C-alpha cells in the first residue's frame, strides 16, 4: 500500500495515542469528576506523556537521526513530520492542561482549600515553613553552581530542576559575570505537596517548589546579589534499554545496569517555564546541547505534574470518588478451600468490582496444602509490596517446586521486578528469564496437586498483572479453572519457556507468537463466510490498543462483507471506522473513567455458538508476533453470559464513552437512552448477582 493510501486507511499510532491522552485530560476538565480526582487525572495525563516521550517519541527520533524516512513504519508520515506534529499536539494539550489546572485551583478555593505560592506566605505560616525547610528539605537538596562550570552537569531523566538566576550586586567580588546561574534539583524523597496548619475552616498547601523559592535567600545567603529568580526546567531522556552482551554477567545484572544507564540516555524533550527570561533559556539550551530534533515545550510554572496523582486527600471524601468495597464471587467463599470449589466449576473474577484477594488466597492455599507439589506462574509487573511474591516464597519454604517466569524488561517496572527476582531466587524459587527475543506478557498460573493416585492441575489465567495495587484501579478478568484440557495446555506454555526450540501445538489456547495472528484471521474469516451464507455473524472486541495494519485489514474485509463489528478500544486505535466502502459496519468507542479499562476480550458470534476468549494480547504487532501471550477460551455458559452482560453494559455507556471517528475529536457519545455510566453500572450488576 502506498504511503498516501496508508494515511487515508489508518490513523497514525502516535497521534492516536495522543488522542487517548486527550481523553484522560477530558476527565480532568469534566466538572462532574470530583475535584481532587480532577487533579489526579492531571497527574495521570502528565505521567502518560512522560512515558510516551521516553519510549515512542525517542524511537521516532532515532529514526529521524538515522536519516530514515520511516513512512511505511509510521503510517504514511516521515519521522521528521511526525516529530513536529507530536510537538504541536503536545503544546496544545499542555496549554489546555494549564488552563484546567488554573480552573481547578479556583474551584478548590471555593472549597476553602488554598494552594499558595511563595508570595502568599503569611507571618503565621513562616515559622512552620522555615522549620520544615531546615529539617526536611535542606538536607535533601542538591544545588549546583553552573555559571562558571566548564562542563555542564548531566540532568537526571524526568527530574525537575529550578534554574536559578542571580543578578550580582556591584559589591560582589566572587564572580566574573554580572549574571550567575545555579540548578536546584527538586528532591523526590520529600512530599511534593506540603500541608500547612489549617486556619479555621481553611486548609493550606504549598508546593515544594514554591517552598524552596521562598527559601532561596537562605540557600544563597553567602552571595551578594541584587535580585534572584527561579524557573523550572525538566529533561526527558530516551528510555530504551541497551543490554550489553557480556556473557560473564547474569541477566539480572545486565538489566540492572541498563536501567541505571537510562539516566544518561539522549534527551528527547525539554520542558521549561514559559515565563523564564530569554537570556537564561538560551544559556541553558546552549549548555545542554538541545537541538532542533528535540521536542521543546514551553510549559507552566510547575513540571512533574504527575505528582498530582498523589495529591493529599485532606480528609475531604466529598471531593473524591466514593470508594467501593470489592465484592465476593458468588459461590466462592474466601474462608473455605478455593481449589476444592474450582475442581468442580470454573469461576470468573472481574477486578476491581470483585476482590483480587481470590488470587492471593489461591496462592496462599497452594503454598500450605501438603498435597500441592508444584506451582508455576508468570510475572510481568509486581506491586511494590507484593503478597504474590511472599506467597511464592512461602510455598518454596514449604518444599513446593516453585517456578516463576519473571519478565525483567517490563517497562519502568524493571527495578521492582529485579528486587523480587533476587529475593525469590535466594529463597529457592526457580526463576526463568523469558525466551530469547520475546517478552513474556501472558498472565497465568498452574498448580499441581497429588490427588489419590493421580496429579490434578488447577489454574488461573488473567488479562492483567498479578499486582495488588493495580488490581484496585485496573479492570481485568481472571478465570479460575480446573478444566484439564485448558490446564494441560497451560503447562505446555511453561514447558516452552524452558525448552523454547520446541513449538507446542494447542487445541484450546491461542498462544503468541506462533498462533495468535492466524487464529484470529481464521475466526474473522468464519464470520465473513457465515454472513455470506445468511448465518448469524458478528465480532465484538475489547482491547487496550489496535494498531496492527494487517489485522485492521481483516476487520475492514469483515465490514465490507457486511459483518457488524463492535470495538471498545481504550487507547491507540489505528482503524478508521464508519468509512463507506471500507469500514461502514464498524463502530468504535473508548471509555475513560474512574478505573483504567484493561481487559482484552474477543467474542465471535460463530452462527450462535459463540467463541469467546479472554486474553493478555492486544492487536499490536508486538503482541501478535514478538511476545508470549495467551488467549483462553471461555467454555462455561454462565461465565459466557456474564462476560456478554458486562460487554453490553460497556457498549451502552453514554456518559463516559467517546466515539472514535474520522474527525479524531474525542466527542462524547450522546443519545436519548437512559444514562449508563458503565463502570458504575457494572458494579451494580455484580451487586445484583450477589443478592440474587
Amino acid at each position: 500500500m502506498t504511503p498516501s493510501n496508508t494515511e487515508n486507511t489508518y490513523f497514525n499510532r502516535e497521534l492516536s495515542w495522543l488522542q487517548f491522552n486527550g481523553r484522560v485530560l477530558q476527565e480532568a476538565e469534566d466538572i462532574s469528576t470530583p475535584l481532587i480526582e480532577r487533579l489526579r487525572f492531571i497527574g495521570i495525563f502528565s505521567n502518560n506523556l512522560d512515558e510516551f516521550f521516553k519510549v515512542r517519541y525517542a524511537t521516532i527520533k532515532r529514526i529521524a537521526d538515522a536519516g530514515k524516512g520511516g513512512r511505511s513504519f509510521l503510517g504514511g508520515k516521515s519521522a521528521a513530520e511526525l516529530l513536529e506534529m507530536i510537538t504541536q499536539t503536545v503544546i496544545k494539550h499542555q496549554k489546555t492542561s494549564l488552563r484546567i489546572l488554573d480552573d481547578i485551583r479556583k474551584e478548590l478555593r471555593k472549597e476553602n482549600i488554598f494552594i499558595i505560592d511563595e508570595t502568599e506566605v503569611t507571618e503565621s505560616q513562616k515559622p512552620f515553613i522555615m522549620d520544615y525547610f531546615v529539617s526536611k528539605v535542606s538536607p535533601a537538596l542538591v544545588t549546583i553552581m553552573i555559571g562558571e562550570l566548564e562542563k555542564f552537569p548531566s540532568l537526571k531523566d524526568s527530574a525537575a530542576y529550578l534554574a536559578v538566576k542571580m543578578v550580582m550586586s556591584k559589591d560582589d567580588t566572587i564572580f566574573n559575570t554580572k549574571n550567575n546561574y545555579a540548578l536546584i534539583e527538586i528532591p523526590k524523597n520529600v512530599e511534593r505537596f506540603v500541608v500547612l496548619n489549617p486556619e479555621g475552616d481553611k486548609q493550606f498547601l504549598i508546593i515544594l517548589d514554591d517552598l524552596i523559592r521562598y527559601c532561596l535567600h537562605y540557600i544563597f545567603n553567602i552571595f551578594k546579589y541584587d535580585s534572584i529568580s527561579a524557573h523550572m526546567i525538566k529533561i526527558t531522556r530516551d528510555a530504551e534499554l541497551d543490554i550489553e552482551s557480556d556473557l560473564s554477567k547474569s541477566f539480572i545484572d545486565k538489566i540492572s545496569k541498563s536501567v541505571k544507564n537510562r539516566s544518561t540516555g539522549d534527551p528527547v524533550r525539554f520542558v521549561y517555564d514559559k515565563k523564564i527570561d530569554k537570556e537564561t533559556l538560551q544559556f541553558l539550551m546552549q549548555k545542554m546541547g538541545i537541538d532542533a530534533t528535540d521536542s521543546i515545550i514551553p510549559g507552566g510554572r510547575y513540571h512533574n505534574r504527575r505528582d498530582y496523582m498523589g495529591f493529599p486527600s485532606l480528609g475531604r471524601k466529598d471531593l473524591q470518588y466514593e470508594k467501593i468495597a470489592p465484592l465476593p464471587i458468588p459461590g466462592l467463599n474466601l474462608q473455605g478451600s478455593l481449589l476444592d470449589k474450582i475442581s468442580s466449576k470454573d469461576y470468573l473474577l472481574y477486578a476491581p468490582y470483585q476482590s483480587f484477594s481470590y488470587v492471593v488466597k489461591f496462592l496462599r492455599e497452594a503454598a500450605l496444602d501438603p498435597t500441592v507439589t508444584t506451582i508455576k506462574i508468570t510475572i510481568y509487573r509486581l506491586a511494590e509490596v507484593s503478597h504474590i511474591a511472599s506467597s511464592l516464597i512461602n510455598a518454596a519454604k514449604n518444599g513446593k517446586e516453585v517456578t516463576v517466569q519473571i519478565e525483567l524488561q517490563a517497562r519502568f517496572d524493571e527495578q521492582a521486578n529485579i528486587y523480587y527476582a533476587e529475593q525469590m531466587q535466594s529463597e529457592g524459587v526457580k526463576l526463568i528469564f523469558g525466551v530469547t527475543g520475546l517478552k513474556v506478557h501472558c498472565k497465568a498460573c498452574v498448580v499441581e496437586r497429588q490427588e489419590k493416585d493421580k496429579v490434578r492441575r488447577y489454574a488461573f489465567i488473567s488479562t492483567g498483572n498479578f499486582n495488588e495495587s493495580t488490581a484496585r484501579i485496573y479492570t481485568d478478568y481472571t478465570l479460575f479453572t480446573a478444566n484439564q484440557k485448558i490446564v494441560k495446555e497451560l503447562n505446555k506454555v511453561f514447558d516452552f519457556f524452558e525448552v523454547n526450540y520446541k513449538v507446542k501445538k494447542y487445541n484450546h489456547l491461542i498462544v503468541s507468537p506462533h498462533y495468535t495472528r492466524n487464529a484470529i484471521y481464521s475466526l474473522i474469516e468464519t464470520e465473513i463466510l457465515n454472513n455470506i451464507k445468511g448465518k448469524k455473524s458478528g465480532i465484538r472486541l475489547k482491547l487496550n490498543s489496535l494498531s496492527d495494519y494487517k489485522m485492521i485489514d481483516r476487520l475492514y474485509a469483515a465490514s465490507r462483507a457486511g459483518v457488524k463489528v463492535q470495538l471498545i478500544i481504550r487507547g491507540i486505535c489505528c482503524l478508521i471506522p464508519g468509512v463507506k466502502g471500507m469500514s461502514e459496519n464498524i463502530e468504535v468507542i473508548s471509555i475513560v473513567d474512574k478505573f483504567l479499562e484493561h481487559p482484552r476480550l474477543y467474542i465471535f458470534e460463530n452462527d450462535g455458538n459463540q467463541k469467546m476468549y479472554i486474553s493478555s494480547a492486544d492487536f499490536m504487532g508486538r503482541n501478535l508476533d514478538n511476545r508470549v501471550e495467551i488467549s483462553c477460551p471461555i467454555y462455561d455458559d454462565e461465565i459466557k453470559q456474564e462476560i456478554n452482560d458486562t460487554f453490553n453494559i460497556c457498549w451502552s455507556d453514554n456518559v463516559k464513552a467517546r466515539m472514535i471517528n474520522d474527525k479524531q475529536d474525542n466527542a462524547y457519545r450522546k443519545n436519548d437512552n437512559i444514562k449508563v455510566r458503565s463502570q458504575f453500572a457494572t458494579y451494580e450488576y455484580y451487586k445484583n448477582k450477589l443478592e440474587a
Side-chain angles (χ1 to χ4, degrees):
M1 189 171 281
T2 64
S4 59
N5 285 337
T6 299
E7 201 161 355
N8 295 328
T9 309
Y10 315 107
F11 288 134
N12 173 268
R13 170 181 162 157
E14 279 66 39
L15 298 179
S16 178
W17 184 91
L18 289 173
Q19 289 304 310
F20 155 67
N21 211 31
R23 295 192 283 279
V24 174
L25 196 55
Q26 284 178 321
E27 289 300 294
E29 189 168 26
D30 188 344
I31 59 173
S32 71
T33 302
L35 204 48
I36 288 177
E37 303 294 351
R38 290 176 66 187
L39 272 180
R40 291 170 181 167
F41 272 110
I42 288 283
I44 296 167
F45 163 81
S46 185
N47 186 64
N48 287 349
L49 206 53
D50 283 349
E51 293 190 3
F52 173 81
F53 271 92
K54 289 178 188 180
V55 181
R56 292 305 305 172
Y57 189 93
T59 299
I60 301 161
K61 188 174 184 294
R62 286 187 180 202
I63 294 169
D65 290 347
K68 296 177 181 177
R71 287 184 184 274
S72 59
F73 174 70
L74 300 172
K77 293 175 174 60
S78 73
E81 288 171 341
L82 189 53
L83 290 176
E84 178 58 24
M85 292 177 77
I86 290 169
T87 297
Q88 291 308 313
T89 303
V90 170
I91 289 172
K92 180 183 172 185
H93 282 177
Q94 290 281 40
K95 187 177 179 181
T96 302
S97 71
L98 293 174
R99 174 183 55 76
I100 294 169
L101 197 50
D102 191 49
D103 290 344
I104 294 171
R105 290 177 73 145
K106 288 174 184 173
E107 291 300 314
L108 285 170
R109 289 186 200 118
K110 293 177 185 177
E111 296 289 342
N112 275 335
I113 298 171
F114 298 86
I115 304 175
I116 64 170
D117 65 28
E118 75 278 11
T119 67
E120 299 169 298
V121 174
T122 64
E123 281 300 315
S124 63
Q125 292 165 338
K126 182 176 178 180
F128 175 88
I129 287 176
M130 289 307 302
D131 180 64
Y132 189 91
F133 177 80
V134 170
S135 61
K136 300 278 181 67
V137 182
S138 183
L141 281 188
V142 174
T143 306
I144 308 166
M145 302 300 299
I146 58 173
E148 297 186 346
L149 283 181
E150 284 187 24
K151 186 179 179 183
F152 194 82
S154 178
L155 304 191
K156 293 179 183 176
D157 171 53
S158 293
Y161 294 85
L162 286 175
V164 179
K165 177 184 179 182
M166 289 181 287
V167 179
M168 310 311 296
S169 76
K170 61 184 179 184
D171 299 326
D172 168 58
T173 57
I174 298 176
F175 297 107
N176 299 320
T177 55
K178 177 70 174 173
N179 297 331
N180 248 285
Y181 301 95
L183 285 178
I184 301 174
E185 184 180 339
I186 305 295
K188 289 185 177 179
N189 57 350
V190 180
E191 290 292 336
R192 187 79 185 277
F193 300 97
V194 181
V195 180
L196 307 178
N197 295 324
E199 296 178 11
D201 293 335
K202 296 180 178 178
Q203 294 175 293
F204 295 90
L205 303 93
I206 187 168
I207 297 177
L208 181 60
D209 325 3
D210 289 331
L211 189 146
I212 294 170
R213 284 185 174 102
Y214 185 78
C215 299
L216 284 177
H217 293 292
Y218 181 93
I219 300 169
F220 297 101
N221 59 17
I222 64 170
F223 303 122
K224 294 178 181 178
Y225 50 81
D226 290 331
S227 66
I228 188 167
S229 58
H231 295 83
M232 191 166 281
I233 62 169
K234 180 176 82 168
I235 270 194
T236 305
R237 296 185 181 276
D238 186 339
E240 190 63 38
L241 291 182
D242 292 316
I243 302 168
E244 59 180 283
S245 57
D246 187 343
L247 298 177
S248 67
K249 292 186 178 180
S250 74
F251 192 59
I252 291 180
D253 289 340
K254 292 177 187 178
I255 294 289
S256 188
K257 182 178 178 182
S258 190
V259 169
K260 288 175 185 173
N261 287 344
R262 264 197 189 136
S263 60
T264 58
D266 290 339
V268 291
R269 177 178 60 156
F270 175 60
V271 185
Y272 64 91
D273 182 344
K274 61 180 179 289
K275 292 187 178 178
I276 196 170
D277 65 271
K278 288 183 180 179
E279 194 174 17
T280 304
L281 182 61
Q282 286 171 354
F283 172 83
L284 291 168
M285 289 179 64
Q286 182 183 355
K287 288 286 188 180
M288 287 188 285
I290 301 293
D291 63 41
T293 60
D294 299 311
S295 189
I296 301 167
I297 310 288
R301 180 180 172 89
Y302 310 100
H303 306 328
N304 278 8
R305 285 176 290 142
R306 63 171 180 261
D307 292 341
Y308 279 107
M309 289 192 294
F311 190 83
S313 300
L314 301 170
R316 293 295 300 271
K317 291 183 180 179
D318 57 319
L319 301 182
Q320 300 170 78
Y321 284 129
E322 182 182 351
K323 293 218 173 1
I324 64 167
L327 301 167
I329 299 172
L332 199 58
N333 193 334
L334 281 167
Q335 303 307 315
S337 167
L338 294 192
L339 297 182
D340 287 348
K341 279 284 191 181
I342 295 163
S343 68
S344 57
K345 185 185 183 306
D346 288 358
Y347 289 89
L348 184 74
L349 161 67
Y350 196 8
Y353 310 110
Q354 294 171 313
S355 176
F356 186 75
S357 299
Y358 287 97
V359 173
V360 178
K361 162 69 174 171
F362 183 104
L363 289 172
R364 290 212 182 281
E365 180 179 337
L368 297 178
D369 187 336
T371 64
V372 169
T373 57
T374 304
I375 301 172
K376 301 175 184 178
I377 192 170
T378 61
I379 286 176
Y380 194 72
R381 297 186 195 276
L382 284 170
E384 193 172 334
V385 178
S386 176
H387 298 300
I388 301 292
S390 63
S391 298
L392 295 168
I393 289 169
N394 190 23
K397 286 180 179 292
N398 281 332
K400 319 295 182 192
E401 185 181 325
V402 181
T403 301
V404 175
Q405 152 55 51
I406 188 163
E407 182 51 72
L408 293 185
Q409 296 181 74
R411 184 99 61 183
F412 305 120
D413 280 301
E414 297 96 344
Q415 207 65 57
N417 284 7
I418 288 167
Y419 167 76
Y420 277 115
E422 290 173 336
Q423 196 177 38
M424 287 189 285
Q425 200 167 45
S426 69
E427 297 287 0
V429 173
K430 178 182 177 182
L431 297 185
I432 303 173
F433 299 119
V435 181
T436 303
L438 301 173
K439 268 190 181 181
V440 177
H441 188 248
C442 57
K443 285 82 175 169
C445 173
V446 178
V447 164
E448 293 181 350
R449 188 161 75 157
Q450 189 69 41
E451 297 181 0
K452 295 181 181 177
D453 58 347
K454 65 177 182 179
V455 172
R456 185 169 169 80
R457 296 188 179 100
Y458 299 79
F460 56 84
I461 310 105
S462 186
T463 64
N465 300 307
F466 304 138
N467 182 313
E468 300 91 324
S469 298
T470 58
R472 290 194 288 269
I473 53 174
Y474 286 29
T475 66
D476 273 303
Y477 294 115
T478 301
L479 178 73
F480 295 95
T481 186
N483 182 320
Q484 295 304 294
K485 294 174 183 176
I486 290 174
V487 293
K488 184 180 179 181
E489 292 194 351
L490 276 178
N491 214 44
K492 285 186 181 181
V493 177
F494 283 93
D495 290 344
F496 172 70
F497 294 147
E498 300 198 61
V499 187
N500 42 68
Y501 57 84
K502 288 185 179 179
V503 178
K504 307 289 183 178
K505 291 186 177 179
Y506 305 91
N507 295 315
H508 302 276
L509 300 180
I510 300 175
V511 180
S512 291
H514 303 111
Y515 301 110
T516 303
R517 182 180 290 280
N518 287 335
I520 301 298
Y521 286 175
S522 178
L523 287 163
I524 294 172
E525 186 62 28
T526 298
E527 297 307 308
I528 292 172
L529 293 174
N530 282 343
N531 192 72
I532 291 169
K533 293 174 184 176
K535 296 179 179 180
K536 288 180 71 175
S537 67
I539 299 169
R540 293 188 289 169
L541 306 173
K542 190 171 187 183
L543 304 167
N544 294 333
S545 298
L546 170 58
S547 65
D548 186 83
Y549 290 171
K550 291 179 181 177
M551 193 63 75
I552 290 169
D553 288 343
R554 300 296 171 121
L555 292 171
Y556 285 159
S559 174
R560 284 193 294 268
V563 178
K564 297 293 182 186
V565 181
Q566 295 175 331
L567 306 178
I568 303 174
I569 313 290
R570 186 195 77 224
I572 298 165
C573 180
C574 295
L575 179 149
I576 307 175
V579 178
K580 192 167 183 180
M582 181 176 79
S583 58
E584 58 202 283
N585 289 304
I586 303 177
E587 287 184 84
V588 188
I589 63 170
S590 176
I591 296 168
V592 178
D593 198 356
K594 176 180 180 180
F595 303 125
L596 184 89
E597 295 284 339
H598 197 250
R600 291 85 166 186
L601 171 66
Y602 319 148
I603 304 172
F604 297 90
E605 193 56 43
N606 193 38
D607 191 27
N609 183 23
Q610 275 188 347
K611 291 197 172 181
M612 179 184 289
Y613 297 83
I614 61 169
S615 181
S616 58
D618 287 306
F619 286 179
M620 306 177 78
R622 67 188 189 192
N623 303 99
L624 300 170
D625 305 321
N626 300 306
R627 289 184 172 187
V628 180
E629 308 274 13
I630 295 172
S631 300
C632 177
I634 302 296
Y635 291 142
D636 184 280
D637 287 338
E638 286 183 23
I639 293 177
K640 271 189 174 181
Q641 185 59 54
E642 184 180 326
I643 290 175
N644 273 315
D645 290 346
T646 53
F647 184 95
N648 289 337
I649 290 170
C650 275
W651 190 256
S652 300
D653 195 306
N654 54 6
V655 176
K656 290 294 186 179
R658 281 71 151 184
M659 300 298 298
I660 304 297
N661 55 32
D662 56 355
K663 297 175 187 173
Q664 290 273 65
D665 58 2
N666 280 339
Y668 284 88
R669 177 202 255 173
K670 301 293 181 186
N671 55 42
D672 296 329
N673 299 338
I674 295 170
K675 293 294 181 191
V676 177
R677 187 171 178 179
S678 58
Q679 291 186 353
F680 289 28
T682 300
Y683 185 68
E684 289 302 313
Y685 168 83
Y686 279 108
K687 275 179 72 175
N688 293 336
K689 274 181 75 75
L690 206 58
E691 290 165 8

